[in-house]
Amino acid sequence: MAEITFWVAVGLVFYAYIGYPLALLLLSRVYSREAKQAGEGRFTPSVSFIIAVHNEEERIRSKIENTLAQDYPRHLLEIIVASDCSTDCTDGIVEEYSEQVRLVRALERRGKEAAQELAVRAARGDILIFSDAATAIAPYGISRIVRNFSDPTVGCVSSIDRSIDGDTIAGESAYVRYEMFLRTLETRVCGVVGLSGSFFAARREVCRRWAADRQSDFNTVLRAAAVGLRSVLDQESVGYYRNVADPAREFQRKVRTVVRGMAVLASNLRLLNPFRYGLFAWELASHKLCRWLVPLAMIAALLLNVVLFARSPLYQVMLILQLSFYAAALVGVWTGARALRLPAFLCVANAAVLTAWLRFLRGDRFVSWNPSHRIGSLPSVGSR
């Protein structure tokens, strides 16, 4: 039993990071479902661009200017800033743009999704775009992300995340690229199971039953799947951001993100039914559930490897490999050595997931929010 459990644990880790992408890659060769996009300028539905904020006085002016610089037809674009009871000068700055921007303000602080819900109720557009104050988009960003909806099977569209600072947290850039590659493959096969929360779009009908207490980027994807629509990644829609200034706070942000994702999945377990939701159920289980089980599998594999150490040279080699990996990760975290950044990031990320399990099982849900403090001002993004 110990040997079977050991290899199941090792297999789960391998599948989550390597097996699943390989399976997607093979499927994409024989079954590809790319979104049918309209030609540039041919598809221009009404759009509501929603920016949820809490105490963003340092960036909100730049964000509004970045949004006003979009090349989308102005009469078809409304901009809404949803203030989660900001206590600084954020609301006052927004009101300076009252002729071009609508401000909706929460009467009490209830969290990002609750603020977004106020904006969704006020929005008039057929397509709703959600963006963070810390994310800049190119002047053609709205036009590019909206054109995906010319395909009637598309319910949500995700942008690509792109840091302009490189790696300030060891290995994160490589991991983000891996995630974007995974979403590219998922788009070809069935559809993505997660959106970039800093810049994504959805049809109005997908947002009708907005959950004010659930992670909006993940929950919106599941809402789309529930009504028979798919979610895609647009590689030409990019959200540019600066990295988080404090790695310790970034760790806590990851914990909050995973806890909230677990809560969303727990309330949508029916979507894991492959007989009803087909390939999407498989993608959801592989990308989310299996990934969240990795730290538990890593612990099991290490402990069982110690128990099995004397049984054969194979287990001795496996233990040496495991210990070498964790040693490399520790050195990478301690020194920031470039060659060791990826193992360092993987261990830190899985430590965050493990912490999230403990917080989730304890009953924490993290409804309130504090936007991450990022390095510098809003990125400057040029034209084509």
Side-chain angles (χ1 to χ4, degrees):
M1 181 61 71
E3 290 187 82
I4 294 174
T5 307
F6 170 78
W7 288 111
V8 167
V10 171
L12 177 60
V13 175
F14 176 86
Y15 174 76
Y17 288 120
I18 301 176
Y20 175 54
L22 286 177
L24 283 172
L25 188 59
L26 291 174
L27 274 174
S28 69
R29 297 292 176 87
V30 297
Y31 178 77
S32 183
R33 195 181 181 190
E34 297 283 4
K36 302 177 182 67
Q37 295 180 345
E40 187 173 352
R42 297 180 184 175
F43 186 72
T44 52
S46 58
V47 172
S48 295
F49 192 93
I50 296 169
I51 309 166
V53 297
H54 174 72
N55 291 354
E56 288 282 8
E57 62 182 5
E58 294 182 2
R59 286 188 293 245
I60 189 59
R61 188 183 301 278
S62 297
K63 178 64 178 180
I64 292 174
E65 294 290 348
N66 176 257
T67 308
L68 290 173
Q70 293 294 303
D71 66 3
Y72 203 75
R74 192 66 189 88
H75 67 287
L76 294 173
L77 173 66
E78 72 169 346
I79 303 169
I80 304 175
V81 175
S83 175
D84 184 26
C85 211
S86 295
T87 57
D88 63 359
C89 297
T90 297
D91 295 0
I93 294 172
V94 175
E95 288 173 343
E96 294 177 20
Y97 295 86
S98 59
E99 294 184 2
Q100 301 162 297
V101 179
R102 297 173 64 191
L103 172 68
V104 293
R105 176 181 168 84
L107 297 178
E108 60 178 327
R109 192 176 176 200
R110 296 174 51 217
K112 180 179 181 179
E113 281 73 24
Q116 289 175 331
E117 182 182 35
L118 293 176
V120 169
R121 290 178 178 176
R124 296 187 290 261
D126 293 324
I127 303 298
L128 308 185
I129 299 178
F130 300 86
S131 187
D132 290 344
T135 301
I137 60 178
Y140 49 85
I142 292 179
S143 299
R144 289 284 173 86
I145 202 167
V146 163
R147 66 180 182 173
N148 292 273
F149 292 102
S150 61
D151 183 339
T153 70
V154 172
C156 302
V157 185
S158 175
S159 66
I160 282 181
D161 294 327
R162 187 166 298 166
S163 167
I164 66 169
D165 299 320
D167 259 353
T168 55
I169 296 175
E172 185 168 23
S173 293
Y175 188 76
V176 169
R177 289 194 296 271
Y178 168 80
E179 277 293 312
M180 296 304 108
F181 171 70
L182 207 57
R183 291 183 187 182
T184 298
L185 295 177
E186 288 176 337
T187 295
R188 294 175 185 171
V189 172
C190 177
V192 298
V193 297
L195 305 172
S196 296
S198 60
F199 179 30
F200 71 92
R203 293 186 187 274
R204 169 178 284 280
E205 55 265 36
V206 173
C207 301
R208 290 193 189 280
R209 294 174 59 187
W210 193 263
D213 59 345
R214 297 179 190 168
Q215 189 180 41
S216 58
D217 47 350
F218 188 23
N219 197 61
T220 304
V221 165
L222 301 190
R223 283 288 308 138
V227 298
L229 297 174
R230 63 197 182 100
S231 303
V232 300
L233 175 74
D234 185 349
Q235 297 189 60
E236 295 182 6
S237 298
V238 183
Y240 298 90
Y241 63 92
R242 294 186 182 276
N243 285 332
V244 174
D246 185 352
R249 289 190 177 183
E250 175 63 6
F251 180 87
Q252 294 303 321
R253 186 194 68 80
K254 285 183 170 63
V255 171
R256 291 194 300 272
T257 298
V258 175
V259 168
R260 302 186 74 220
M262 289 174 174
V264 171
L265 184 58
S267 62
N268 289 276
L269 290 177
R270 68 188 186 284
L271 295 174
L272 291 172
N273 182 357
F275 300 103
R276 176 78 181 275
Y277 297 100
L279 286 173
F280 180 82
W282 167 66
E283 289 184 349
L284 182 60
S286 299
H287 196 152
K288 293 296 185 179
L289 186 57
C290 287
R291 186 78 64 81
W292 291 337
L293 291 174
V294 163
L296 304 178
M298 291 171 71
I299 293 172
L302 181 60
L303 294 178
L304 289 170
N305 205 165
V306 173
V307 173
L308 297 167
F309 180 77
R311 291 203 180 182
S312 75
L314 174 60
Y315 291 112
Q316 294 165 17
V317 172
M318 290 294 292
L319 183 58
I320 291 171
L321 290 175
Q322 287 197 72
L323 293 177
S324 298
F325 172 79
Y326 292 121
L330 286 173
V331 173
V333 171
W334 184 262
T335 66
R338 182 172 294 275
L340 302 177
R341 285 185 171 185
L342 190 55
F345 179 82
L346 286 174
C347 283
V348 170
N350 279 291
V353 175
L354 183 61
T355 305
W357 272 115
L358 298 174
R359 301 293 294 271
F360 177 76
L361 294 174
R362 196 172 69 184
D364 294 343
R365 292 300 180 266
F366 298 112
V367 175
S368 63
W369 66 308
N370 283 303
S372 299
H373 177 61
R374 297 184 180 271
I375 300 170
S377 57
L378 190 75
S380 178
V381 181
S383 59
R384 302 170 193 266

